[in-house]
């Protein structure tokens, strides 16, 4: 959560689809992480938040999860069938879902 606080976005970083496409115009899917915590290089290049990653923390800090889900809802991440899989906050994609 400290990493996303620096960028003023909700927290919840994990594997998900994101705003990159293959040759057939399908969304791409990959693992994301926090720079400095993950072993993979380039983790700071994309900032993709997966709401389900917040829900996984429910048993650890219910109050923080509820607050984060409210933040996601305020940002339009709650759709007809639940929360979207991910939101891409990478500056070059302008926060597209």
């Amino acid at each position: 959560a400290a990493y996303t606080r620096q960028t003023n976005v909700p927290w919840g970083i994990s594997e998900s689809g994101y705003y990159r496409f293959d040759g057939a115009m399908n969304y791409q899917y990959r693992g994301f992480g926090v720079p400095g915590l993950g072993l993979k290089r380039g983790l700071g290049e994309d900032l993709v938040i997966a709401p389900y990653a917040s829900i996984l923390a429910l048993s650890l800090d219910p109050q923080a999860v509820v607050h984060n889900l409210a933040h996601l809802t305020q940002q339009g991440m709650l759709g007809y069938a639940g929360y979207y899989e991910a939101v891409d906050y990478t500056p070059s994609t302008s926060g597209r879902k």
Side-chain angles (χ1 to χ4, degrees):
Y3 171 64
T4 57
R5 262 188 247 119
Q6 296 171 9
T7 58
N8 198 31
V9 301
W11 53 269
I13 298 175
S14 187
E15 295 183 350
S16 67
Y18 70 116
Y19 199 72
R20 297 284 188 279
F21 300 94
D22 64 14
M25 295 304 293
N26 296 309
Y27 281 104
Q28 295 297 288
Y29 185 92
R30 76 170 198 193
F32 297 93
V34 176
L37 293 180
L39 298 176
K40 183 178 170 186
R41 291 182 185 187
L43 290 176
E45 295 174 9
D46 296 299
L47 180 55
V48 177
I49 303 301
Y52 83 88
S54 299
I55 295 167
L56 291 174
L58 196 55
S59 66
L60 300 172
D61 193 344
Q63 186 176 2
V65 171
V66 169
H67 178 71
N68 195 55
L69 292 176
H71 191 179
L72 287 162
T73 301
Q74 290 170 351
Q75 298 224 341
M77 288 302 298
L78 183 60
Y80 175 76
Y83 286 95
Y84 290 104
E85 178 174 347
V87 62
D88 189 347
Y89 286 96
T90 305
S92 62
T93 60
S94 302
R96 297 178 199 158
K97 297 172 197 154

